[in-house]
Amino acid sequence: TSYCTPVKGAQRVGGIVNPSLERILSLRPDLVVASTLTSFHIIKRLKERNIKVLTFRLLSLEDIKTTIQTIGYALGRDGKMCRKLFERQIGKEIRRLTPCLKGKKVVIIFSTKPLYCAGK
């Protein structure tokens, strides 16, 4: 997306809510990963062009874990192992950051239109 740090060679295709259909099509993807926030119109147009689209609801950490596992399998990898690696990494970061919070509650806002944040 426009908001991610791309890996080397990756191209940005817009935001999760408003990706560029033309840009996505120009990349000739085998698979598109979308969110329930992604425009239904975009997803429909991709499917009409016989492009496989996996759409995920990402409202909780459990949703993210399941998504990582599913994408792992879709890419021909061991999805459970991808999930376990993520769980180890996120657990390490949680343990590292917990002392910094000193009991305070934190909200992380990803988007204001629509409002989208992490946490309860």
Side-chain angles (χ1 to χ4, degrees), residues 77-93:
R77 301 209 170 116
D78 181 345
K80 281 189 179 179
M81 186 56 68
C82 295
R83 179 184 178 134
K84 286 180 184 178
L85 177 61
F86 172 76
E87 289 172 339
R88 259 185 276 148
Q89 290 172 331
I90 199 77
K92 186 188 301 182
E93 290 302 316

Side-chain angles (χ1 to χ4, degrees), residues 19-56:
S20 167
L21 177 63
E22 294 76 22
R23 193 138 210 206
I24 294 169
L25 293 174
S26 75
L27 297 171
R28 302 169 63 142
D30 297 311
L31 171 67
V32 172
V33 177
S35 151
T36 51
L37 294 175
T38 306
S39 164
F40 175 76
H41 169 75
I42 298 286
I43 294 170
K44 181 180 175 204
R45 299 282 302 273
L46 291 167
K47 289 181 177 181
E48 287 171 353
R49 288 169 173 76
N50 295 317
I51 296 172
K52 183 176 180 179
V53 180
L54 296 178
T55 305
F56 299 97

